[in-house]
């Protein structure tokens, strides 16, 4: 699997974007609201490295408890897969648990994604090509 991005929680998206730009990143996709997860998302790139900055916009966001607990921090790797259902099944057989059922990701061109967790790995996201 190829890494698509690293998800990074941000308390203040504008301030975080500024700091990443200072480190040589460029905005790949400007801020967009994801109504499914109640978050603002902005993608930045530095060479082949992509970061997804995520700011929960309300306490109802599933990301809000993570931000409250961990503050500004990377919290997941996202991997590109050809077949989301097959990859989910294969990882489930290897001890990963689905923590958010497959659904579209408005900020990634409406591609389907699934979030999974493994006690030894943490949270991963799969995005379908």
């Amino acid at each position: 699997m190829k890494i698509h991005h690293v998800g990074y929680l941000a308390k203040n998206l504008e301030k975080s974007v500024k700091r990443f730009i200072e480190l040589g990143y460029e905005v790949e996709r400007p801020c967009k609201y994801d109504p499914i997860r109640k978050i603002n998302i902005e993608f930045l790139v530095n060479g082949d490295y992509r970061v997804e900055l995520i700011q929960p916009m309300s306490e109802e966001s599933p990301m809000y408890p993570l931000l409250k607990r961990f503050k500004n921090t990377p919290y997941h790797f996202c991997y590109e897969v050809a077949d989301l259902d097959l990859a989910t099944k294969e990882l489930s057989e290897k001890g990963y648990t689905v923590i958010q059922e497959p659904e579209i990701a408005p900020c990634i061109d409406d591609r389907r994604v699934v979030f999974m967790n493994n006690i030894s790995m943490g949270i991963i996201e799969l995005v379908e090509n």
Side-chain angles (χ1 to χ4, degrees):
M1 291 186 282
K2 179 182 173 192
I3 292 178
H4 182 269
H5 68 261
V6 174
Y8 194 100
L9 289 168
K11 183 176 180 181
N12 182 305
L13 199 63
E14 187 176 313
K15 288 180 181 179
S16 292
V17 167
K18 181 179 177 183
R19 297 296 175 217
F20 273 92
I21 288 172
E22 290 173 350
L23 295 173
Y25 286 79
E26 297 176 358
V27 173
E28 178 185 40
R29 294 180 187 213
C31 183
K32 185 173 181 181
Y33 182 68
D34 177 341
I36 296 168
R37 295 164 193 85
K38 297 175 182 63
I39 55 177
N40 277 338
I41 293 178
E42 189 155 349
F43 283 95
L44 295 100
V45 293
N46 185 339
D48 292 334
Y49 193 72
R50 180 182 292 118
V51 173
E52 174 192 41
L53 294 179
I54 302 149
Q55 178 184 5
M57 298 309 294
S58 75
E59 291 183 14
E60 287 78 39
S61 168
M63 305 307 130
Y64 182 80
L66 293 173
L67 179 65
K68 189 173 179 181
R69 181 175 177 190
F70 298 114
K71 310 297 182 222
N72 294 336
T73 188
Y75 81 100
H76 78 268
F77 282 90
C78 177
Y79 298 91
E80 292 180 301
V81 297
D83 183 325
L84 189 70
D85 297 322
L86 178 60
T88 301
K89 181 180 182 285
E90 289 173 350
L91 287 174
S92 292
E93 291 169 357
K94 294 176 181 177
Y96 288 79
T97 304
V98 172
I99 58 173
Q100 188 176 46
E101 293 296 325
E103 57 190 346
I104 64 161
C107 299
I108 311 178
D109 303 323
D110 290 331
R111 290 159 58 182
R112 289 190 325 138
V113 300
V114 65
F115 285 87
M116 303 182 82
N117 188 53
N118 178 284
I119 194 164
S120 300
M121 180 67 174
I123 297 172
I124 66 168
E125 176 184 15
L126 304 179
V127 60
E128 194 165 52
N129 286 344

